[in-house]
Amino acid sequence: MRFGICTTPDNIDVLARAGFDYAELSLNTIAALDPDAYESLRRQVGTSPIKVESFNGFFPWSMRVVGPNANPEAIRSYAESAMERAAGLGGKVVVVGNGGSRRIPEGYEKSSIIAQFAGVLRVIGDEAAKYGIIAALEPLNVRETDFINSIPEGV
């Protein structure tokens, strides 16, 4: 059995000493790093026994992916650069959670959002496929979001 943990980049060296096998980082945090900070992290991960195999927090909470404020071009651009960074750190799985980014705007019905969100997932899936990364949709509890709160809804 292997053990990993959700953490921040500054804990990678600590994980090795604690006996973990891998780290799971927040992708929106990694995507927001300036190029020098990202390269520094990439070098650190490259020499560490701890690999970054998975990422949570695909989108920033401030980026709306459904509703009238969703910007398909910004979503595509973000997904391209975020996935490239995930691959550069050795990522194998990205988790699409981030309830705030997919919260249904007031006045919209869940049924009207499904097709829009499916398009977002296609973009993510296409980008993930370029790098052999698995994209996993995470159902979240109702305190985090009002959209996709169970496995049947995710399916």
Side-chain angles (χ1 to χ4, degrees):
M1 179 178 288
R2 300 176 68 240
F3 291 93
I5 190 168
C6 298
T7 190
T8 58
D10 54 320
N11 287 328
I12 288 176
D13 293 333
V14 174
L15 298 183
R17 293 191 302 276
F20 285 93
D21 299 303
Y22 67 94
E24 180 173 316
L25 302 180
S26 171
L27 188 55
N28 65 68
T29 300
I30 301 307
L33 293 174
D34 68 60
D36 291 337
Y38 171 73
E39 282 304 314
S40 176
L41 176 60
R42 197 179 61 73
R43 285 191 301 275
Q44 177 190 9
V45 168
T47 60
S48 174
I50 297 297
K51 299 305 172 200
V52 180
E53 296 181 13
S54 56
F55 294 87
N56 57 50
F58 192 91
F59 288 108
W61 276 65
S62 61
M63 180 178 273
R64 294 291 170 250
V65 299
V66 295
N69 295 325
N71 180 331
E73 286 309 309
I75 291 167
R76 180 174 301 284
S77 176
Y78 173 83
E80 288 172 356
S81 63
M83 204 64 75
E84 181 179 15
R85 285 195 168 188
L89 291 174
K92 307 220 180 303
V93 176
V94 297
V95 178
V96 182
N98 289 76
S101 68
R102 71 180 191 221
R103 185 173 305 281
I104 299 173
E106 190 172 321
Y108 280 76
E109 293 295 319
K110 190 179 285 190
S111 60
S112 68
I113 296 298
I114 292 172
Q116 188 179 21
F117 192 62
V120 171
L121 294 177
R122 277 188 210 92
V123 167
I124 293 170
D126 289 347
E127 289 305 313
K130 289 179 185 178
Y131 300 102
I133 293 175
I134 296 168
L137 176 59
E138 181 181 22
L140 297 169
N141 72 63
V142 295
R143 290 182 304 275
E144 294 176 280
T145 191
D146 56 0
F147 186 50
I148 307 178
N149 303 114
S150 68
I151 292 172
E153 284 183 316
V155 172

